[in-house]
Amino acid sequence: MSSEALTHPAEPAKHASAGDNYLTNGFSLKSWLLTLDHKRIGILYLISVSVFFVIGGLAASLIRLELITPAGDVLSHETYNKMFTVHGVVMVFFFLVPSIPAVLGNFLIPLMIGARDLAFPRLNLLSWYIYIVGGLFTLTVALTGGIDTGWTFYTPYSSMFSNTYVAMAAVGVFITGFSSILTGLNFIVTIHKMRAPGLTWFRLPLFVWAHYATSLIMILGTPVLASTVALVAVERVFHIGVFDPALGGDPILFQHLFWFYSHPAVYIMILPAMGVISELISTFSRRPIFGYHFIAFSSIAIAAIGFLVWGHHLFVSGQSPYAGLVFSFITFLVAVPSAIKTFNWTATLYKSSISWDTPMIYAMGFMGLFLIGGLTGLYLAAIAIDIHVTDTYFVVAHFHYIMVGGAVMGYLGGMHYWWPKITGRMYPEGWAKISAVLIFAGFNLTFFPQFIVGYWGMPRRYHTYAAEFQVLNVMSTAGASVLGFAYAFPVFYFLWSLKYGKKAPSNPWGATGLEWQTPSPPPTTNFDEVPVVTEEPYHYPMLEPERV
Amino acid sequence: MLLSFLPIPDQASTQAVSVDTLFLVFTALVVFFTVLVCVVLIIFSIKYTRGTKADRSNPLDGSLKLEIMWSVIPLFLAIGAFGWASHVYFEMVHPPADAMEIHVVGRQWMWKIQHPTGQREINELHVPVGRPVKLTMTSQDVIHSFFIPAFRVKQDVVPGTYSQLWFEATKPGTYHLFCAEYCGTEHSRMIGSVVVMEPQAYEEWLQSGTTSESMVAAGERLFRDKGCSGCHAGTSSVRAPILNGVYGGPVPLDDGSVVTADDMYMRDSILLPKKQVAAGFKPIMPTYQGQLSEEELFQLIAYIKTLK
């Protein structure tokens, strides 16, 4: 009886024909800017993070262009330094951190748990406005003169020496932090209090588990970042000694505080992507996820252990060697929950029935890149090796494999998977496959050579470099060109599909999960009746996908 | 060399060999696991693509045995890797007692180096082959990082504190010296070279050029000129600690604790004399903050170390 409720998307048909959905519920600008609908807020975030991604991407293009030759012949020192700072600040704080949670999480969590909205819709809208205000601050800084501290804002350079607009950028990051905190809070309360009847914790989609873990990090870590950048601004403006030794401060203290947030922030970026991948692999292989509990708890374990590893960024800072050992050991432990996830995803494919739609291609791409990104993290956990490779391109390559290879692949995979749900239109599969493969290839060509040039000793944040590093840098720039080109594809075909894409049925992939039981796009209230859940998650095999 | 087909850069210190060995073993492990997972993924991908004929009966939704296996094996491998890497690290971290000490001051955007004999150089470091060298470093402004890729060593150079790095060069030649911690506009110009010389050639190099007074001699001069000797020499009427034999030993403080008189203690005692007051003395010493350059501090400390 109840399984019928799960597997028969009968209601949707009625709605689809009525054409009454969250997108048609008002067309004025006001109806968007003052909306309390989590789905519309998700769209607002989608547009804004895309704009920031383009800005961050343009900065990256200039960096790669400059690095074709060892000499500094395209940009001045000052401009180059501002470019990598803008790239880092924008990509980390304004794209990666909000990307999956604020766009897909916002849109999907209520749908996945059978709720009408998040627990605090007004707070949700406020989060977006806070994000925009923080973003405008940062953009103003970027446009009116820039900031040259790197996204890490290391003191005392940032607080006392840089002649750029550090305080203003710090304010931007400070403000945006509150957006994360409020979103995390909203998710946690929603997941605790608003699950549909019968939707127990262990029936939740792993996407929701991943976002729960992410939200914990957001509300526990972000306040520390906020206070840290506030202290930088205070020292800079009022010359109150906190970090500058000339004023009696301790510059290394800043690094402890900064990484206490910023290492867990890496998990803010990767955990939601892992949640997406669990959904994709299960759906497109028609199998329940292997070891559901282990994947769910490994997310929580990563979030928890992630708070205890910040000192691995300080192995050459003069930190006590014994503290270094403890941080090194705990960092090695992160390998375990990461391995658990990878093996479980792989095992899910055993005796499965895989269909190679674009989201599945992204999922497999994620697996390969995350594997390399994660395993190269072990080199950095080992102090003896880290001493040589820290602050070189080896580290740059490693975290791009995690953040771009992992988080961005997850985000794009998720965007393709849920695009029919979000917009009611199918994207063009052929173009999407081409771009997914190009992104994978371009990514590897861009970042794999950086592991080698890093081990050869090329420091990061170098505007000019030694001649023997050139070949690998040219390869990297060539890869970046492919990557930039491939990233442009989805922008065009997604927009194209809004008008010309085939109409999407409510469940085009034949997936389980409550979000697929409501029409595409969903009605403003998400569900006409509160769904009742009586089954385990990922209860495949399921019905064949509806014909598109 | 046997492994010369691998993209391994110049190995020119004793550390380089042990770090590279560790690196290669890690790489073997990483390649093994990457290939393992990828091969399984590819086999499953081909075998179980929808529409292919494959045995899909009795599938598995989970297996405690497998979960334990793929948690425990990585755990033990991780602990093993940690143990080995830490062992290598601890051999790198403590300089041998007989290491020759060279002083380095970083500033935007250059490296200033002084040898014990007084020889100074900028953005170049000459060292003898086969002899442990210890660098004691500080920065005049922001954080820098002293990085010699061919030696596989790197250490941040932090204002307001002394950091140390040591190595033993094994191969004469000229190698890159980079600043690895972003330090502002011309960060990528804060580069230089490390010249490793045969001991004989190094001795000759030390004699060449206009050798100024040795560090100890310069320190002795400062000790007099800056008025240190007025209180800290045996004949003084002011009650101040006599510094003979102080360096390296324990110093009881007036709050009851005991500290070791190392370079950092010396530095603090000169710049922040009220921070740690030796037991039995009044906190009457004035601060020398702003009156001594980092180089002069190094010289003063070098002299105080010789007081027996």
Side-chain angles (χ1 to χ4, degrees):
Chain A
M1 164 108 181
S2 45
S3 80
E4 227 171 306
L6 255 181
T7 52
H8 279 281
E11 308 298 331
K14 192 170 59 190
H15 256 290
S17 58
D20 168 28
N21 63 55
Y22 83 100
L23 290 171
T24 56
N25 182 25
F27 295 94
S28 63
L29 197 58
K30 189 182 152 202
S31 75
W32 280 91
L33 292 182
L34 293 180
T35 182
L36 298 180
D37 184 340
H38 67 101
K39 299 183 288 302
R40 285 195 164 206
I41 295 171
I43 302 284
L44 292 177
Y45 270 114
L46 171 61
I47 296 166
S48 18
V49 302
S50 303
V51 170
F52 280 110
F53 183 76
V54 170
I55 295 168
L58 287 176
S61 315
L62 286 174
I63 294 169
R64 287 302 343 154
L65 199 62
E66 171 64 79
L67 294 178
I68 294 176
T69 60
D73 32 24
V74 179
L75 308 171
S76 65
H77 287 310
E78 287 84 356
T79 315
Y80 181 83
N81 296 343
K82 285 171 184 172
M83 280 307 129
F84 71 67
T85 305
V86 165
H87 172 68
V89 169
V90 164
M91 286 301 201
V92 170
F93 297 113
F94 297 96
F95 175 72
L96 285 166
V97 168
S99 62
I100 299 182
V103 177
L104 294 173
N106 229 324
F107 196 98
L108 293 164
I109 287 174
L111 286 167
M112 285 180 163
I113 66 171
R116 294 206 155 179
D117 208 311
L118 288 175
F120 308 114
R122 282 184 180 78
L123 202 61
N124 196 18
L125 183 64
L126 179 65
S127 302
W128 182 73
Y129 274 102
I130 291 174
Y131 166 79
I132 289 298
V133 170
L136 287 179
F137 254 95
T138 309
L139 277 189
T140 313
V141 171
L143 293 176
T144 56
I147 157 177
D148 72 343
T149 60
W151 78 280
T152 46
F153 298 106
Y154 270 20
T155 56
Y157 182 69
S158 65
S159 61
M160 302 305 291
F161 287 85
S162 171
N163 292 317
T164 56
Y165 298 88
V166 180
M168 190 131 163
V171 170
V173 170
F174 177 86
I175 293 173
T176 307
F178 285 92
S179 161
S180 280
I181 296 171
L182 296 181
T183 300
L185 184 77
N186 219 338
F187 285 176
I188 287 179
V189 176
T190 306
I191 296 168
H192 268 278
K193 305 302 288 182
M194 300 185 60
R195 284 170 286 129
L199 188 57
T200 59
W201 280 93
F202 293 114
R203 287 177 179 170
L204 282 174
L206 288 165
F207 180 88
V208 178
W209 269 99
H211 276 77
Y212 187 82
T214 305
S215 303
L216 287 177
I217 305 176
M218 283 173 164
I219 58 176
L220 292 175
T222 319
V224 178
L225 174 74
S227 17
T228 310
V229 295
L231 287 173
V232 170
V234 163
E235 179 165 281
R236 206 177 154 82
V237 178
F238 303 109
H239 291 228
I240 293 172
V242 183
F243 303 123
D244 182 12
L247 300 173
D250 178 359
I252 304 297
L253 172 66
F254 171 85
Q255 298 179 21
H256 282 283
L257 294 173
F258 179 81
W259 289 113
F260 182 82
Y261 164 79
S262 293
H263 194 80
V266 175
Y267 301 116
I268 293 182
M269 303 171 208
I270 195 69
L271 279 170
M274 291 169 159
V276 169
I277 297 308
S278 296
E279 301 299 313
L280 302 186
I281 288 184
S282 175
T283 299
F284 292 96
S285 67
R286 288 288 179 280
R287 291 283 305 135
I289 204 87
F290 196 91
Y292 172 94
H293 288 75
F294 290 90
I295 292 199
F297 283 119
S298 63
S299 289
I300 304 291
I302 288 174
I305 300 173
F307 271 110
L308 304 174
V309 299
W310 79 89
H312 68 215
H313 294 269
L314 285 83
F315 287 154
V316 299
S317 71
Q319 168 180 262
S320 144
Y322 300 97
L325 276 195
V326 174
F327 285 120
S328 167
F329 182 72
I330 303 174
T331 306
F332 271 107
L333 292 185
V334 181
V336 176
S338 309
I340 289 175
K341 280 186 193 285
T342 308
F343 290 133
N344 277 299
W345 288 325
T346 308
T348 304
L349 299 182
Y350 179 63
K351 295 195 171 178
S352 65
S353 167
I354 305 168
S355 67
W356 292 101
D357 299 285
T358 307
M360 189 60 173
I361 294 175
Y362 275 108
M364 297 304 269
F366 173 98
M367 295 272 283
L369 302 183
F370 175 70
L371 206 57
I372 295 174
L375 287 169
T376 50
L378 294 175
Y379 295 90
L380 305 172
I383 308 180
I385 302 177
D386 182 78
I387 286 176
H388 175 55
V389 294
T390 189
D391 281 320
T392 70
Y393 267 85
F394 189 94
V395 172
V396 175
H398 159 71
F399 71 72
H400 280 87
Y401 265 81
I402 297 290
M403 291 181 187
V404 186
V408 177
M409 292 296 271
Y411 175 65
L412 287 174
M415 281 308 297
H416 285 83
Y417 179 54
W418 284 292
W419 186 255
K421 180 56 59 189
I422 294 171
T423 63
R425 299 284 181 162
M426 300 304 290
Y427 58 85
E429 191 67 41
W431 284 108
K433 277 185 182 151
I434 292 170
S435 93
V437 171
L438 279 181
I439 286 173
F440 183 81
F443 175 85
N444 281 300
L445 183 55
T446 309
F447 292 104
F448 200 83
Q450 296 184 2
F451 281 122
I452 300 169
V453 84
Y455 200 74
W456 287 1
M458 178 169 166
R460 63 192 288 204
R461 296 170 171 174
Y462 259 33
H463 175 220
T464 56
Y465 58 86
E468 66 260 37
F469 303 141
Q470 187 175 10
V471 174
L472 289 161
N473 273 286
V474 169
M475 285 168 73
S476 194
T477 299
S481 317
V482 176
L483 194 57
F485 183 63
Y487 276 144
F489 275 36
V491 177
F492 290 111
Y493 64 69
F494 274 147
L495 287 174
W496 176 89
S497 76
L498 290 180
K499 193 158 164 52
Y500 305 105
K502 290 182 201 144
K503 281 221 172 359
S506 52
N507 192 358
W509 314 119
T512 62
L514 295 178
E515 79 269 28
W516 301 107
Q517 290 185 44
T518 193
S520 308
T524 301
T525 53
N526 292 353
F527 301 94
D528 291 331
E529 285 169 35
V530 177
V532 177
V533 181
T534 56
E535 278 182 345
E536 301 308 307
Y538 312 113
H539 194 75
Y540 292 107
M542 273 264 308
L543 44 115
E544 280 304 295
E546 295 170 51
R547 293 283 157 247
V548 180
Chain B
M1 206 187 141
L2 189 67
L3 296 169
S4 59
F5 65 93
L6 288 166
I8 293 294
D10 268 342
Q11 295 176 319
S13 74
T14 50
Q15 285 101 327
V17 179
S18 42
V19 171
D20 285 349
T21 310
L22 193 63
F23 180 82
L24 290 175
V25 172
F26 267 55
T27 305
L29 265 179
V30 164
V31 168
F32 173 76
F33 276 99
T34 310
V35 169
L36 176 79
V37 174
C38 288
V39 164
V40 175
L41 275 178
I42 290 168
I43 291 175
F44 285 177
S45 296
I46 294 169
K47 194 168 175 193
Y48 298 117
T49 288
R50 198 165 303 166
T52 55
K53 284 202 173 74
D55 176 18
R56 292 189 174 85
S57 58
N58 306 318
L60 218 59
D61 289 358
S63 153
L64 188 62
K65 242 188 239 165
L66 278 175
E67 299 289 350
I68 290 173
M69 188 187 85
W70 62 47
S71 310
V72 171
I73 293 176
L75 178 67
F76 280 113
L77 282 174
I79 291 174
F82 163 77
W84 185 13
S86 304
H87 175 71
V88 173
Y89 171 57
F90 263 72
E91 288 191 339
M92 290 165 67
V93 81
H94 297 296
D98 62 341
M100 174 175 100
E101 189 173 21
I102 296 178
H103 290 86
V104 177
V105 177
R107 56 163 290 190
Q108 287 173 325
W109 292 278
M110 65 169 75
W111 297 106
K112 299 184 287 185
I113 288 155
Q114 186 166 26
H115 294 255
T117 50
Q119 188 81 279
R120 290 167 190 265
E121 43 186 341
I122 285 181
N123 292 342
E124 273 203 347
L125 170 60
H126 287 75
V127 291
V129 73
R131 182 163 167 202
V133 173
K134 176 173 83 176
L135 305 181
T136 299
M137 309 185 288
T138 191
S139 163
Q140 239 170 266
D141 38 44
V142 302
I143 300 177
H144 304 280
S145 193
F146 199 90
F147 178 31
I148 311 168
F151 293 179
R152 313 290 185 272
V153 293
K154 183 185 291 132
Q155 175 63 48
D156 283 2
V157 178
V158 182
T161 189
Y162 290 148
S163 52
Q164 277 194 344
L165 175 157
W166 82 274
F167 54 79
E168 183 181 328
T170 54
K171 206 169 78 179
T174 302
Y175 306 100
H176 286 302
L177 160 63
F178 293 135
C179 173
E181 184 64 70
Y182 176 67
C183 58
T185 310
E186 291 181 41
H187 169 53
S188 64
R189 308 300 305 163
M190 193 167 166
I191 56 178
S193 38
V194 176
V195 182
V196 178
M197 310 171 94
E198 295 294 351
Q200 189 58 39
Y202 176 69
E203 289 307 324
E204 281 165 23
W205 176 82
L206 282 180
Q207 304 308 321
S208 72
T210 52
T211 310
S212 47
E213 55 189 336
S214 75
M215 285 194 67
V216 171
E220 188 177 7
R221 178 176 48 76
L222 286 166
F223 197 74
R224 256 190 343 264
D225 294 355
K226 297 285 175 183
C228 313
S229 55
C231 303
H232 290 286
T235 54
S236 164
S237 57
V238 182
R239 247 194 109 246
I242 304 306
L243 300 180
N244 293 4
V246 165
Y247 184 83
V251 180
L253 301 182
D254 64 352
D255 64 0
S257 62
V258 177
V259 294
T260 304
D262 56 8
D263 292 30
M264 211 38 219
Y265 171 78
M266 295 293 169
R267 178 194 171 89
D268 281 349
S269 300
I270 298 168
L271 299 182
L272 305 164
K274 308 245 173 346
K275 187 174 160 191
Q276 292 165 317
V277 177
F281 294 93
K282 291 210 174 64
I284 50 171
M285 175 166 159
T287 172
Y288 278 79
Q289 193 113 42
Q291 300 178 44
L292 291 163
S293 70
E294 292 294 351
E295 286 90 340
E296 288 173 331
L297 271 168
F298 276 146
Q299 291 160 351
L300 255 183
I301 294 170
Y303 169 65
I304 293 169
K305 281 184 193 178
T306 64
L307 295 173
K308 290 283 179 315

